[in-house]
């Protein structure tokens, strides 16, 4: 298939190379010349001219808007544009609406897997937009990433990507706290790492544990009570104070447990405290248990 690929940075260059390796005619363009592409084009318009499928992998929302303006005169009715960038949901929705009026389908398709995943093809590609367009080109997506997944309407994939990334940042912030605590309190780093991996949290993937309580709304009987969790969190922060280790994330966690106890939930599972955030946000993300179990097998 003849397709255009705009943006050949660390991620885009590797993904475009995989498309070319799979036998596609990749009409490539970037602000700087990148070697290794048989069909190099001097501009966005030249790359996209006559292509039914376009991919972009760009640094941010402003870059996507700039390329969108350049693509307008080049894309014909019936074409599809997958934006692989991490964008703003509101801005990709505006671009989608603009191009849809011209008969062009725009889909947000942010990726996850890093530079090594882009090279190896072990990459998640989350897609939002027209389902028929996704189904039509999913085989092409699989030449770039082994896990394409249709999330929902336009912007949905970008929301999922941003949620994923802030989760990663929060978890890593917490991990920095707990490792500085463990080491400064006297445990050898490798021993601490090995011990933590043996615990219940270490044995399961981060998000898998959500299927046990939060996403199905099961907090009784307690697997681990709020009473015990509050005791342990208090002891951990006392240790942190003794060791001179700041624990900002830990303090937030203890404050949430305090609020849950004030509600009279002391003998419920400690994850009942997560419902406080549901109340503040005005949303309850419940999922049927069987659907969750099916998802865990994927």
């Amino acid at each position: 298939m003849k397709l255009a690929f705009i943006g050949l940075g660390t991620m885009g260059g590797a993904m475009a190379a995989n498309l070319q390796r799979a036998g596609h005619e990749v009409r490539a363009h970037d602000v700087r010349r990148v070697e290794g592409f048989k069909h190099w084009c001097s501009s966005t318009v030249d790359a996209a001219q006559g292509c039914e499928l376009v991919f972009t992998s760009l640094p941010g929302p402003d870059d996507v808007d700039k390329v969108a303006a350049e693509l307008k005169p080049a894309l014909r009715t019936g074409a599809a544009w997958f934006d692989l960038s991490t964008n703003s949901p509101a801005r990709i929705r505006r671009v989608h609406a603009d191009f849809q009026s011209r008969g062009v389908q725009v889909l947000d398709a942010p990726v996850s897997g890093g530079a090594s995943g882009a090279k190896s093809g072990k990459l998640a590609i989350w897609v939002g937009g027209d389902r028929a367009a996704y189904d039509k080109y999913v085989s092409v997506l699989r030449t770039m990433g082994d896990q394409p997944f249709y999330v929902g309407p336009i912007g949905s994939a970008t929301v999922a990507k941003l949620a994923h990334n802030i989760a990663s940042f929060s978890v890593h912030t917490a991990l920095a706290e707990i490792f500085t605590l463990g080491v400064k309190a006297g445990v050898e780093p490798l021993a601490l790492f090995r011990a933590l991996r043996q615990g219940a949290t270490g044995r399961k993937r981060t998000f898998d544990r959500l299927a046990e309580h939060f996403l199905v709304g099961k907090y009784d009987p307690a697997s681990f009570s709020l009473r015990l969790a509050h005791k342990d969190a208090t002891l951990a922060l006392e240790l942190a104070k003794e060791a001179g280790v700041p624990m900002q994330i830990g303090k937030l966690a203890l404050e949430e447990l305090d609020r849950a106890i004030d509600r009279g939930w002391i003998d419920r599972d400690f994850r009942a405290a997560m419902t406080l955030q549901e109340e503040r946000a005005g949303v309850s993300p419940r999922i049927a248990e069987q659907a969750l179990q099916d998802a865990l097998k994927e």
Side-chain angles (χ1 to χ4, degrees):
M1 175 183 295
K2 182 169 78 170
L3 54 87
F5 203 110
I6 315 299
L8 302 167
T10 301
M11 298 294 290
M15 289 186 282
N18 283 337
L19 286 167
Q20 183 172 259
R21 198 172 295 116
H24 296 290
E25 180 184 325
V26 178
R27 298 177 59 78
H29 174 70
D30 194 274
V31 292
R32 73 208 189 325
R33 179 62 186 251
V34 178
E35 299 301 327
F37 292 95
K38 301 173 185 176
H39 304 281
W40 180 262
C41 298
S42 60
S43 70
T44 296
V45 172
D46 287 344
Q49 202 74 50
C51 293
E52 68 171 278
L53 180 59
V54 174
F55 291 104
T56 52
S57 180
L58 303 165
D62 289 344
D63 304 284
V64 174
D65 287 348
K66 180 182 177 182
V67 168
E70 295 170 351
L71 285 174
K72 277 184 183 180
L75 292 184
R76 64 193 184 196
T77 298
W81 167 20
F82 286 74
D83 179 35
L84 305 162
S85 319
T86 298
N87 204 337
S88 151
R91 288 171 77 163
I92 195 63
R93 285 168 180 151
R94 285 200 296 270
V95 171
H96 170 268
D98 186 15
F99 277 71
Q100 190 173 43
S101 67
R102 300 164 180 267
V104 174
Q105 288 293 343
V106 173
L107 299 95
D108 56 320
V111 303
S112 180
S116 61
K119 288 180 180 178
S120 67
K122 293 186 181 299
L123 203 65
I125 305 177
W126 298 316
V127 182
D130 182 68
R131 180 60 191 254
Y134 169 81
D135 289 339
K136 182 177 180 179
Y137 296 111
V138 68
S139 62
V140 180
L141 296 177
R142 287 199 176 98
T143 65
M144 295 187 292
D146 62 334
Q147 294 188 46
F149 175 66
Y150 179 77
V151 182
I154 187 68
S156 298
T158 299
V159 172
K161 174 65 185 291
L162 295 177
H164 170 274
N165 281 13
I166 194 62
S168 177
F169 306 150
S170 299
V171 168
H172 282 82
T173 300
L175 290 176
E177 281 194 358
I178 62 97
F179 268 88
T180 54
L181 170 64
V183 172
K184 196 167 183 181
V187 181
E188 191 274 326
L190 178 58
L192 179 64
F193 174 69
R194 293 176 68 181
L196 295 181
R197 288 189 70 240
Q198 289 181 325
T201 296
R203 286 172 182 248
K204 293 192 176 182
R205 293 169 64 178
T206 303
F207 291 96
D208 288 2
R209 306 209 76 194
L210 294 175
E212 298 171 3
H213 300 277
F214 179 58
L215 292 177
V216 290
K218 288 187 176 180
Y219 307 109
D220 305 288
S223 294
F224 191 73
S225 72
L226 180 57
R227 184 191 305 275
L228 293 175
H230 188 274
K231 180 260 296 180
D232 289 356
T234 301
L235 289 172
L237 289 179
E238 288 175 355
L239 175 62
K241 185 176 181 180
E242 293 168 9
V245 176
M247 297 281 283
Q248 297 184 56
I249 305 300
K251 285 180 181 178
L252 290 173
L254 181 58
E255 288 171 3
E256 200 75 326
L257 296 176
D258 282 333
R259 296 185 187 100
I261 287 176
D262 289 343
R263 291 291 191 92
W265 300 342
I266 196 164
D267 291 316
R268 303 188 76 191
D269 191 273
F270 80 93
R271 282 154 284 227
M274 297 169 78
T275 63
L276 297 172
Q277 175 61 17
E278 291 183 308
E279 292 178 7
R280 289 189 290 263
V283 64
S284 185
R286 293 287 171 266
I287 303 174
E289 191 166 4
Q290 187 56 56
L292 275 170
Q293 293 308 311
D294 291 343
L296 289 172
K297 295 173 184 176
E298 294 177 352

